[in-house]
Amino acid sequence: MKKIYIAIALFTGLTMNSCKHDDWFYRESKTTITDEQLWNDPNLITSLLANYYNRLPSLHGVFNTGGMTELDDAMWSGTRDQNGKNDFQYGNDYGRYWDYGLIRDLNLSIENITAQGAKLTPAQKSLYIGEMRFMRAFVYFEMVKRMGGVPLVTKQLIYDFSGDPSPLQVPRAKESEVYDFIYKELEEIKADLSGNNGIPTRANKYTALALESRAMLYAASIAKYNSLMAAPISTTGGEVGIPASMATDYYNKSLAASKEVIAGPYALYNTNPDKGANFYDMLNKKPVSEVIFAKDFALGTKVHRFTYDNIIKSMTEDNEASSAISPSLSLVESFDYLDGTKGTLKDKDASGNYIAYANPADIFANKDGRLYGTVIYPGTTFKNNAVRIQAGVAVWNNGSYQLTTSSVLGGNYTDNQVWTGFDGPKDDAVDVSNTGFYIRKMVSDAAAASTRGTSAVNWWPWFRLGEIYLNAAEAAFELGRPEALGYVNTIRARAGFPANSLSALTNDIIRNERRIELAFEDHRYFDLKRWRIAHIVWDGSETDPNAVVMGLYSYRVVRPGHPDNGKYIYARVRPTRFRRARFFRMANYYSSIDQTVLNNNPKIVRNPFH
């Protein structure tokens, strides 16, 4: 074979040397796209934008099953090789995000389309540049809320091969400067994005305002609550920490943006009179009037496996692995009763005796409708089929109940009735709930959505109106504005509460509303950080119901001749697979910066505690 290759090489060399026309070497490529073609072709630019949109970051979002089980809202019940999610501490690098590759690509595209897009109409050019600037602002927000101030790079950094890299070494901006940059960018581009209004999968005017609403609320919270800490977290150059004096301005900016979105073309989804089903439908059907900006999926093009990973055990279609997310009792009890009382479930009476319920779902009766839309609990249905959640039987023996479970899911007790349901819960088990609850929110009920071959196509909500109402409520409350109450009552009315169910607000009410309205939507971790209470909520205590994920197991009563025979009682449990309480340290308020970044740029200041 070597002789053949050599012969070909020699022949080629002779042919090349004898060629008199250099044009032979410069035939136009049929596969290479030139800059002039790219930056003047709307179809090619749209394809490039799709790539950038797909690279937008999240922490526990975009159907990140594993990440959702690392907080206090759920534990991991999937394969054992990932049980570290139940036995870990938030590391120094937890949440780290430092993506200057995407920033460079966006800067490059903005510069090129500005300089070379001569064949585009002014409206087209403004729209495309606006989308790129929106994504750049989005990326900077994702970095600042994790890292604090980061280098603000808004143009290409080109090395001149002089041997001196210092012109490329940009120092970190102040934390406040990054938030100010985000606000300025969004204000400048929001009108240019109006051409996309009505398109929920591309940046438009209201998407820019929604990011303003969120980002300015974060900045305001840090300015206020960091300063209230016994030892505020800061650096001397302001890379971390925002002066308390800036809080009011940021709250005002958040509120103004929120109001503009609320006055826009969106509406809280409120179609189904069943408030629980309505809340589930809100993120499972599309298009929905509430969704402002979403990451979309489509059969045959782009799908996700969130349903494959998390569908309730008895309804798996072609897989064994499922049910990785087991929601916590703490989350379930965060949903209040419709009469306004706290959501603590009544499993025992004042004397410590079990309360027996005729039907498994009765203990959850008259709860906030969002509970049903978020969590699958005993006595409910999914895909129009009854769920089979029952931990075991409670046998009366010598004056107390003996709680027993079957080793086989779906097996019957000696009375030929269900012992342990096919959906569990089962302690220390794999691919079945370990807490007594399954996630419903964003688990698709479409045919074949839990199969490998089809998967799911419901979208991920980057921004929706429900969040904007709560952003407005929080900002208004912090500013002492009376409209705050109305925003919260509007959200609660959609969940089934009476109109004007609250007569006054507190920080605790607003924060709990965010927990239940936005559960599993990538807000909780960052909310607790910006309020500076993450180290209090996740304190590492093995007796703290927020630091430790607890469960609630249902048992069928076996007590012949007694009125409670055949009813159901509930027992609080700590699942065996949950091994270590959540422990958030002061070092976790700002993620550590990778050592490689520090080595390459001596101007970068380390974050506190790192």
Side-chain angles (χ1 to χ4, degrees):
M1 291 298 289
K2 287 184 179 180
K3 292 181 180 178
I4 295 175
Y5 288 142
I6 292 170
I8 291 173
L10 289 171
F11 176 78
T12 303
L14 290 170
T15 304
M16 289 164 60
N17 289 333
S18 63
C19 180
K20 297 179 180 180
H21 301 287
D22 289 344
D23 289 348
W24 190 90
F25 297 103
Y26 297 101
R27 293 180 181 178
E28 185 173 337
S29 171
K30 295 182 180 180
T31 58
T32 302
I33 299 173
T34 66
D35 279 353
E36 194 277 336
Q37 290 172 316
L38 171 59
W39 304 115
N40 289 282
D41 187 328
N43 290 326
L44 292 177
I45 295 173
T46 301
S47 295
L48 185 65
L49 286 171
N51 173 272
Y52 294 160
Y53 278 120
N54 192 52
R55 291 162 64 185
L56 291 180
S58 65
L59 181 57
H60 304 135
V62 193
F63 303 112
N64 181 351
T65 292
M68 292 179 187
T69 64
E70 293 173 348
L71 306 179
D72 54 354
D73 287 344
M75 63 168 282
W76 176 263
S77 293
T79 55
R80 291 195 184 277
D81 62 351
Q82 295 191 53
N83 203 59
K85 300 178 188 305
N86 296 322
D87 186 16
F88 84 113
Q89 291 184 356
Y90 300 111
N92 287 350
D93 62 347
Y94 192 84
R96 177 192 290 166
Y97 180 65
W98 191 275
D99 192 354
Y100 282 90
L102 182 51
I103 291 294
R104 178 192 178 278
D105 288 347
L106 289 165
N107 287 339
L108 175 68
S109 297
I110 292 168
E111 291 176 20
N112 284 339
I113 198 170
T114 300
Q116 301 185 51
K119 295 180 182 178
L120 299 174
T121 67
Q124 287 176 320
K125 184 180 287 190
S126 295
L127 178 60
Y128 296 143
I129 292 173
E131 289 186 79
M132 292 171 187
R133 290 175 69 183
F134 166 81
M135 286 186 271
R136 186 173 64 183
F138 189 105
V139 171
Y140 272 117
F141 174 57
E142 287 293 324
M143 286 200 282
V144 72
K145 73 180 184 180
R146 304 160 191 245
M147 314 301 299
V150 294
L152 279 173
V153 181
T154 58
K155 62 181 181 181
Q156 293 186 72
L157 298 178
I158 302 175
Y159 181 51
D160 61 6
F161 297 97
S162 65
D164 177 15
S166 60
L168 307 181
Q169 295 170 342
V170 181
R172 295 174 66 183
K174 294 180 179 179
E175 189 169 9
S176 60
E177 289 173 341
V178 179
Y179 280 107
D180 291 343
F181 168 78
I182 293 167
Y183 180 77
K184 183 175 181 291
E185 283 285 284
L186 296 171
E187 281 291 292
E188 289 180 0
I189 65 175
K190 64 183 182 182
D192 295 337
L193 294 171
S194 296
N196 281 345
N197 287 358
I199 303 175
T201 55
R202 293 177 66 174
N204 59 51
K205 171 186 174 181
Y206 296 100
T207 307
L209 288 167
L211 180 53
E212 269 188 31
S213 166
R214 185 187 294 178
M216 294 302 99
L217 185 64
Y218 276 49
S221 303
I222 294 167
K224 177 176 180 177
Y225 291 102
N226 188 65
S227 67
L228 295 177
M229 298 181 78
I233 306 171
S234 63
T235 55
T236 56
E239 297 88 356
V240 164
I242 300 176
S245 60
M246 302 180 75
T248 297
D249 182 57
Y250 285 134
Y251 279 128
N252 275 316
K253 287 174 177 175
S254 177
L255 181 58
S258 300
K259 284 186 171 182
E260 195 167 351
V261 176
I262 290 170
Y266 305 96
L268 292 176
Y269 185 78
N270 206 10
T271 301
N272 192 330
D274 181 326
K275 298 304 183 182
N278 181 77
F279 192 71
Y280 171 74
D281 290 344
M282 179 264 299
L283 289 180
N284 199 50
K285 297 182 182 299
K286 54 185 182 182
V288 172
S289 60
E290 179 161 342
V291 175
I292 300 166
F293 183 49
K295 184 166 187 175
D296 206 3
F297 298 83
L299 287 176
T301 304
K302 185 178 180 63
V303 296
H304 64 82
R305 289 192 173 178
F306 190 71
T307 300
Y308 174 88
D309 290 336
N310 294 297
I311 194 165
I312 188 167
K313 177 70 174 178
S314 63
M315 298 180 200
T316 56
E317 293 173 276
D318 71 351
N319 59 291
E320 291 297 326
S322 67
S323 315
I325 294 176
S326 285
S328 67
L329 177 59
S330 169
L331 173 64
V332 171
E333 292 193 318
S334 296
F335 294 84
D336 290 342
Y337 290 94
L338 295 176
D339 64 3
T341 56
K342 287 294 183 183
T344 305
L345 294 169
K346 301 171 179 62
D347 53 305
K348 290 184 177 180
D349 62 21
S351 300
N353 299 311
Y354 288 111
I355 299 174
Y357 292 90
N359 299 295
D362 288 351
I363 192 173
F364 308 98
N366 300 313
K367 274 264 196 176
D368 183 326
R370 290 171 290 189
L371 173 61
Y372 176 92
T374 304
V375 173
I376 297 175
Y377 51 84
T380 54
T381 63
F382 187 71
K383 298 178 70 170
N384 296 317
N385 294 312
V387 303
R388 293 180 275 176
I389 301 176
Q390 179 182 309
V393 297
V395 181
W396 186 258
N397 186 20
N398 294 326
S400 64
Y401 283 114
Q402 180 181 354
L403 307 179
T404 69
T405 61
S406 171
S407 61
V408 179
L409 295 177
N412 287 344
Y413 190 58
T414 56
D415 59 1
N416 290 322
Q417 297 184 54
V418 175
W419 190 348
T420 296
F422 195 78
D423 292 317
K426 193 166 182 60
D427 187 47
D428 202 27
V430 174
D431 298 329
V432 63
S433 176
N434 278 223
T435 63
F437 307 108
Y438 290 84
I439 183 173
R440 184 191 302 271
K441 193 176 193 179
M442 296 180 289
V443 174
S444 175
D445 61 358
S450 69
T451 64
R452 286 179 179 270
T454 301
S455 297
V457 295
N458 51 309
W459 54 17
W460 173 263
W462 287 115
F463 295 99
R464 63 179 178 88
L465 193 59
E467 179 207 344
I468 305 303
Y469 267 94
L470 291 174
N471 292 351
E474 184 177 342
F477 177 79
E478 295 285 5
L479 293 167
R481 301 280 290 272
E483 60 264 41
L485 181 62
Y487 292 132
V488 176
N489 276 333
T490 298
I491 285 288
R492 286 166 61 90
R494 193 261 293 271
F497 287 91
N500 302 315
S501 58
L502 295 175
S503 58
L505 283 182
T506 64
N507 258 333
D508 287 343
I509 290 174
I510 291 172
R511 292 171 180 182
N512 192 66
E513 284 294 319
R514 288 188 70 89
R515 182 181 189 184
I516 58 182
E517 174 75 23
L518 304 174
F520 302 115
E521 294 183 45
D522 203 16
H523 290 275
R524 177 112 175 120
Y525 183 78
F526 296 110
D527 279 347
L528 296 191
K529 285 212 318 174
R530 66 183 175 87
W531 295 324
R532 293 298 192 253
I533 60 173
H535 68 290
I536 299 171
V537 175
W538 301 323
D539 62 2
S541 170
E542 294 295 337
T543 59
D544 189 318
N546 282 312
V548 174
V549 171
M550 300 288 289
L552 189 73
Y553 284 12
S554 60
Y555 293 87
R556 179 174 59 85
V557 173
V558 178
R559 192 175 180 182
H562 191 274
D564 289 344
N565 187 54
K567 293 183 178 181
Y568 297 85
I569 62 172
Y570 285 84
R572 294 170 184 262
V573 299
R574 174 173 174 162
T576 300
R577 289 189 66 179
F578 190 85
R579 296 176 183 170
R580 184 186 298 188
R582 305 298 191 210
F583 182 40
F584 187 99
R585 298 168 294 114
M586 299 302 289
N588 297 128
Y589 277 109
Y590 294 93
S591 300
S592 63
I593 299 171
D594 187 84
Q595 188 61 45
T596 302
V597 173
L598 297 171
N599 293 342
N600 291 338
N601 186 353
K603 297 177 183 178
I604 296 294
V605 176
R606 290 179 181 271
N607 274 334
F609 309 107
H610 298 297

